[in-house]
Amino acid sequence: MNRNTDINPVQSADYLTIEGLVKYFGAFTALKQISLSVKKGELLCLLGPSGCGKTTLLRLIAGLEAADAGEMWVEGKDITRLPAAKRDYGIVFQSYALFPNLNVAENIAYGLNGRSSDKAARVSSLLELIGLSGIEKKYPAQLSGGQQQRVALARALATSPGLLLLDEPLSALDARVREHLRKEIRSLQQRLGITTIMVTHDQDEALTMADRIVVMNHGVIEQIGTPEEIYSHPQSRFVADFVGKSNWLPATVLGNQCLAVGGAELYALHLPPHPVGSVLELFIRPEAVRLHSVWDSVLLREPNTALADVSKIELLGGFYRVSLWVPQWNTSLIADLSRDQMAVLQLSIEQRIPVTLPHKELRVFAAGATQ
């Protein structure tokens, strides 16, 4: 089979298709049978902790590393052994990788061919696109980190590639600039309709920018889904714990939808069949924990309700995070409350307050470490 010309018609509906990629570094397996597809025009985030294999996967897609097994297609064309220079992509690195001895115009035009006037026009249009018109003659050292990253983005887009690869593009920037550039890059990607793969370890970045997220851990894919699916319906304990804040409660199965937590019974609507006595962990997001201002007769009949002691209150910008201890369940919890909720409850340290864990919000995972 001629890998550079072979067409796989089954795979051509997606822009990029990856099947069974494996990568070794000596005795270490960096990627284990990675398979996924990237839709044309979407922004896909590879999300995971350091060392999970996300950057290695990006480098294999770019042709900067060779796979030990598996295949890749772009619009049906097998590119598995195609040299990096012959792959149709632009790439932006965490370190910007601008040439310090070239000015902005020369950096952006570095990969362009043709007449000088055509290059200058292309540079000018790209600088206008990224909102930096008029800085053609400046050098990288004269630019802020955010400006340098936008210039690096313009350079990656200069040849009008079919695929844009972003390797931790915002991690070297401060929080305010990072948040601003998230919106700019996402807006630009949507306007251009360019298929984009971004590597990040920042869950907020992935949740706010991506059409779909690929969560990776130890060289394997834990879950692929939309930000909403990843956050609200995690398919593994690792995903649940890595993406967003979480509460974990040790539990023992008593029967249909019923578990023992501490000295009480809790009900979980989404409890899969497990033998009685199985040791599990209940998972619930902090914003799903419900606090009540008074203990009344209605709450006495509310399942999964107990009294909790307020141990800490933190203001985190637009919301409050409340730390609780629940003696009846022998566990600690965190609850995230809006400013309006906080104003109604009027919480204070050491206050005792009713807490409910809605049975529809509880998810169940096998007990054990997340790694």
Side-chain angles (χ1 to χ4, degrees), residues 21-25 27-35 46-57 200 214-223 236-239 241-242 368-371:
L21 276 195
V22 176
K23 179 62 182 177
Y24 302 110
F25 291 107
F28 175 68
T29 305
L31 295 176
K32 308 170 188 176
Q33 294 292 326
I34 296 294
S35 297
L46 305 179
L47 173 68
S50 297
C52 72
K54 56 188 185 294
T55 294
T56 298
L57 177 54
T200 183
V214 178
V215 184
M216 298 183 65
N217 184 35
H218 291 316
V220 301
I221 292 175
E222 293 272 348
Q223 185 174 349
S236 72
R237 194 192 188 284
F238 173 82
V239 175
D241 196 58
F242 184 75
T370 60
Q371 300 299 319

Side-chain angles (χ1 to χ4, degrees), residues 247-262:
N247 289 296
W248 295 97
L249 294 79
T252 304
V253 176
L254 297 177
N256 184 33
Q257 298 184 348
C258 184
L259 305 104
V261 176

Side-chain angles (χ1 to χ4, degrees), residues 342-358:
M342 192 68 179
V344 170
L345 292 169
Q346 291 290 304
L347 296 182
S348 59
I349 302 297
E350 298 184 357
Q351 180 179 348
R352 180 156 283 193
I353 187 167
V355 58
T356 298
L357 305 181

Side-chain angles (χ1 to χ4, degrees), residues 45-248:
C45 270
L46 305 179
L47 173 68
S50 297
C52 72
K54 56 188 185 294
T55 294
T56 298
L57 177 54
L58 193 80
R59 290 178 64 82
L60 262 62
I61 294 169
L64 302 175
E65 299 280 356
D68 292 298
E71 296 178 313
M72 292 180 284
W73 292 273
V74 167
E75 295 188 315
K77 180 180 179 181
D78 191 334
I79 64 160
T80 312
R81 304 300 174 203
L82 204 63
K86 294 185 177 180
R87 301 191 188 193
D88 180 25
Y89 70 86
I91 190 165
V92 178
F93 297 100
Q94 174 184 345
S95 60
Y96 320 138
L98 298 176
F99 299 110
N101 58 321
L102 301 182
N103 64 30
V104 166
E106 291 165 337
N107 263 285
I108 294 174
Y110 185 78
L112 293 176
N113 297 314
R115 298 178 301 178
S116 297
S117 59
D118 293 336
K119 290 182 183 180
R122 180 63 174 155
V123 167
S124 179
S125 67
L126 285 165
L127 286 173
E128 183 178 352
L129 188 67
I130 62 170
L132 291 177
S133 295
I135 67 163
E136 286 88 344
K137 300 301 180 184
K138 288 190 175 183
Y139 286 82
Q142 298 173 293
L143 306 177
S144 68
Q147 289 174 324
Q148 288 185 56
Q149 194 58 294
R150 282 192 280 176
V151 170
L153 181 61
R155 184 177 63 183
L157 295 170
T159 58
S160 299
L163 179 65
L164 178 63
L165 304 177
L166 306 174
D167 187 9
E168 301 270 13
L170 307 178
S171 60
L173 305 171
D174 65 53
R176 185 178 292 273
V177 175
R178 194 162 61 238
E179 186 174 345
H180 177 68
L181 276 186
R182 274 182 206 162
K183 297 175 183 176
E184 282 201 358
I185 291 174
R186 179 56 168 155
S187 176
L188 183 61
Q189 183 267 335
Q190 289 177 317
R191 291 205 314 273
L192 296 176
I194 185 171
T195 308
T196 302
I197 301 174
M198 183 173 78
V199 163
T200 183
H201 65 272
D202 187 322
Q203 56 184 271
D204 291 336
E205 222 166 80
L207 290 170
T208 56
M209 294 180 69
D211 292 302
R212 288 190 302 148
I213 299 171
V214 178
V215 184
M216 298 183 65
N217 184 35
H218 291 316
V220 301
I221 292 175
E222 293 272 348
Q223 185 174 349
I224 303 174
T226 65
E228 175 64 28
E229 290 167 343
I230 295 293
Y231 185 81
S232 299
H233 304 287
Q235 293 176 358
S236 72
R237 194 192 188 284
F238 173 82
V239 175
D241 196 58
F242 184 75
V243 180
K245 290 292 183 181
S246 52
N247 289 296
W248 295 97

